Amino acid sequence: MADGQDLMERIGRLRPAVRAAGQPLHRPLLLLWAIAQAVHGRPRQQPWSVVKHELAPLLTQFDGAQRGERDVVYPFWALQRDGLWEVADSAELPLTSGGRRPTFAILEQVNPLAGLPEADYNRLIDDSTVAADALSTLLVRFFGANSGSVVEALRLREFVRGPIGASLLPLVGEQYADRKKIAEAYGGNGVMGITPLADGILAVYSDDKGPYPDHHIPETGWIAYTGDGLSGDQTLTVGNKSMQEYQKQEKALRYWHKPYNGSWTFETWAVVIQCRRRWGRGEDKKQRREYVWVLAPVPSPLRETWPSDVVEALAQDDKSVHDDSVDVIPAEVVAGQESRKLSAQERYQQLSDAARRTDGNRTNRSKPTLVERYMRSAAAREAVIIRSEGRCENPACGGHPLERTDSGQPLLEVDHVNGLARTGQDTPEFMIALCPNCHALKTRGAGRGELQKSLVPVARKLHRAMQRGERRKARPDGT
């Protein structure tokens, strides 16, 4: 007898092609219908005449099929390839359509029996947990907002444990020491950062010690999740392609997180509400364009449980890539692209203008707008780094104003001189570059109030000087 894990793995491998018009649901619908036969105690195998009569209206209602009973031919034959369906004496049926399947007329004439493999049918009858998991997985993966209607149409409510998807394993909050343990428990790839578990539902993994700068976006509670690809410009392939499909279909995925020195935790279900492109550094320390998938945590994979601000954000999302890498091009990249190298003043003005365009919408406090402002504030941060000439901008700096990272970049932190929450402005004249020591003093030091107050005129003076093309004077110590 087939075990439950083997059945779930085959269901997880059921992946209808994604087309411009959407994802065809004929095979998932036939499989749900077949599982319904098992849990309702109906015979495992049913004649073609019964299958076409019962499946055709489901295909019309939930898959937009338009040819009535003739639309049943494809799933009736094709689901065999997934190892989830059997057509009796299929080898004896004459095939047409290039040898791919029998015609409607042949099926009408022969009226073959078909149904689930016997081992799967018996497992579903014997184990209600396996049946509930199989049903929930198919409903969550393929039917989303229509899950409840499908359940009612197939009279499956009593066989789905609690709210649809609530009993799916793993449960939110489950923890594992490493990725290998997750794969042992639930299948899937134990290495890739964007990959489905055995049930076919996409999962993403974020490690605080990993090479990607994933983080929570301030004031929103949403997550900026860096796309797939360690070095070089990222492309919409492999994991990023899967994320794009989930964004277009507005489906929930599993978000796993591993804090410093912590365990992997299935932290939350999440949906993609934006895709953005920005500049970042790859594992090779070189600048590259990378995708950022903005994830909004949701209570469950069912849309009816999602907060209103998430539903509104999904409605606003045009499913395109918002390219923040156009205005904000790092200086080292510009140097390699431009036939005429821009002066520091020109680059500063270009980035300041980009920051000001983004900041012009600062009165809008919707979460999508806050995300856009945060992601595009890279223009202001880059401008301030250029203005600083790699030195801490605190005139009284007593730390290490010229310190560099391993990649040779200035060890500086760009901050708002008086706090973004107070000024509400994300432009260079309200920001300053500080070494880690001065930044700590400004944010946590006992005299932070006085320091913040003193830095306000400094930032404005440096901004005006940069616009006039005036170079910063060196301090007596040479810095």
Side-chain angles (χ1 to χ4, degrees):
M1 182 179 290
D3 63 29
Q5 183 175 355
D6 174 66
L7 174 59
M8 293 304 297
E9 287 176 353
R10 278 179 284 132
I11 291 175
R13 290 194 292 270
L14 180 63
R15 293 191 176 94
V18 177
R19 299 170 183 164
Q23 190 175 39
L25 301 176
H26 31 50
R27 282 184 290 154
L29 272 170
L30 176 56
L31 183 54
L32 276 171
W33 177 87
I35 294 173
Q37 307 314 296
V39 299
H40 286 303
R42 297 181 68 185
R44 176 176 72 88
Q45 291 189 317
Q46 303 275 3
W48 155 256
S49 57
V50 171
V51 177
K52 71 167 184 178
H53 175 72
E54 297 191 7
L55 188 63
L58 296 174
L59 292 175
T60 300
Q61 182 178 357
F62 299 111
D63 195 33
Q66 299 177 349
R67 298 190 306 155
E69 293 180 343
R70 291 182 179 274
D71 286 308
V72 181
V73 174
Y74 175 78
F76 183 86
W77 193 255
L79 191 59
Q80 293 180 101
R81 297 197 301 266
D82 301 293
L84 294 161
W85 181 255
E86 294 177 347
V87 177
D89 302 321
S90 59
E92 299 176 13
L93 290 174
L95 307 180
T96 56
S97 299
R100 294 193 296 272
R101 67 186 73 92
T103 63
F104 180 81
I106 288 294
L107 292 174
E108 287 285 287
Q109 177 185 340
V110 178
N111 200 23
L113 293 170
L116 293 169
E118 185 174 7
D120 293 333
Y121 178 84
N122 291 336
R123 169 62 66 181
L124 291 165
I125 289 177
D126 294 341
D127 194 332
S128 61
T129 299
V130 172
D133 287 346
L135 291 170
S136 290
T137 297
L138 288 165
L139 291 166
V140 166
R141 284 185 60 197
F142 299 111
F143 298 97
N146 287 325
S147 294
S149 298
V150 175
V151 166
E152 298 305 322
L154 291 170
R155 296 182 295 110
L156 292 170
R157 179 61 62 186
E158 65 180 291
F159 303 103
V160 179
R161 292 179 294 166
I164 299 169
S167 62
L168 276 180
L169 298 178
L171 298 176
V172 172
E174 285 194 32
Q175 294 186 347
Y176 292 86
D178 52 51
R179 290 283 304 277
K180 182 180 178 181
K181 296 295 184 183
I182 299 174
E184 288 175 353
Y186 298 110
N189 184 293
V191 178
M192 296 175 63
I194 305 173
T195 183
L197 296 181
D199 62 8
I201 297 175
L202 195 64
V204 298
Y205 299 85
S206 179
D207 186 348
D208 284 355
K209 288 187 177 180
Y212 297 108
D214 305 332
H215 57 278
H216 281 77
I217 299 172
E219 301 183 76
T220 66
W222 293 351
I223 302 162
Y225 183 83
T226 309
D228 189 21
L230 288 170
S231 295
D233 286 350
Q234 293 182 348
T235 59
L236 285 172
T237 57
V238 196
N240 292 325
K241 182 178 180 181
S242 297
M243 295 292 279
Q244 186 181 52
E245 291 172 0
Y246 266 60
Q247 178 189 19
K248 289 180 178 179
Q249 297 169 30
E250 298 185 358
K251 296 198 306 189
L253 52 81
R254 294 181 174 108
Y255 175 76
W256 292 79
H257 176 231
K258 185 177 185 294
Y260 287 111
N261 301 318
S263 301
W264 281 107
T265 303
F266 173 23
E267 195 167 282
T268 184
W269 290 94
V271 291
V272 180
I273 57 93
Q274 277 188 28
C275 176
R276 311 195 72 89
R277 206 175 189 210
R278 69 180 178 193
W279 286 97
R281 289 194 181 275
E283 195 175 41
D284 58 4
K285 308 300 183 185
K286 295 180 180 179
Q287 291 277 2
R288 52 84 175 269
R289 289 182 175 91
E290 60 190 19
Y291 292 99
V292 180
W293 303 96
V294 181
L295 306 180
V298 291
S300 83
L302 288 189
R303 190 185 185 96
E304 62 217 45
T305 69
W306 299 350
S308 59
D309 59 349
V310 173
V311 176
E312 291 168 5
L314 289 170
Q316 294 174 33
D317 182 25
D318 60 6
K319 309 301 188 268
S320 67
V321 177
H322 300 264
D323 197 344
D324 301 320
S325 69
V326 176
D327 282 336
V328 190
I329 304 176
E332 63 189 84
V333 175
V334 172
Q337 291 179 344
E338 304 260 353
S339 56
R340 181 184 73 84
K341 184 176 180 180
L342 294 177
S343 68
Q345 180 188 9
E346 290 172 321
R347 280 287 294 145
Y348 184 80
Q349 191 61 53
Q350 183 183 72
L351 290 165
S352 295
D353 291 343
R356 198 163 285 106
R357 285 195 298 273
T358 299
D359 196 59
N361 198 23
R362 61 180 178 271
T363 56
N364 188 334
R365 301 295 295 174
S366 72
K367 287 188 177 181
T369 301
L370 292 173
V371 168
E372 180 176 12
R373 285 182 54 202
Y374 177 78
M375 298 298 296
R376 291 180 62 84
S377 66
R381 293 195 297 269
E382 182 75 12
V384 175
I385 288 294
I386 291 173
R387 185 185 72 196
S388 74
E389 298 179 350
R391 294 176 288 175
C392 178
E393 292 186 320
N394 177 12
C397 176
H400 302 277
L402 294 175
E403 193 62 57
R404 292 291 188 269
T405 66
D406 290 340
S407 61
Q409 301 305 306
L411 192 60
L412 296 173
E413 299 168 6
V414 177
D415 199 4
H416 295 80
V417 289
N418 209 20
L420 178 59
R422 292 187 193 176
T423 65
Q425 292 176 289
D426 210 10
T427 50
E429 63 266 39
F430 296 97
M431 302 167 75
I432 197 159
L434 301 173
C435 69
N437 183 61
C438 288
H439 187 249
L441 291 174
K442 174 187 172 295
T443 55
R444 302 190 301 276
R448 59 184 178 277
E450 286 300 315
L451 178 57
Q452 291 171 7
K453 185 177 179 180
S454 70
L455 291 177
V456 170
V458 171
R460 291 175 179 171
K461 180 180 178 181
L462 291 172
H463 174 70
R464 290 193 297 269
M466 193 68 188
Q467 288 184 314
R468 293 193 297 266
E470 299 174 1
R471 291 186 61 81
R472 180 179 172 188
K473 295 181 179 180
R475 292 175 4 177
D477 61 2
T479 63

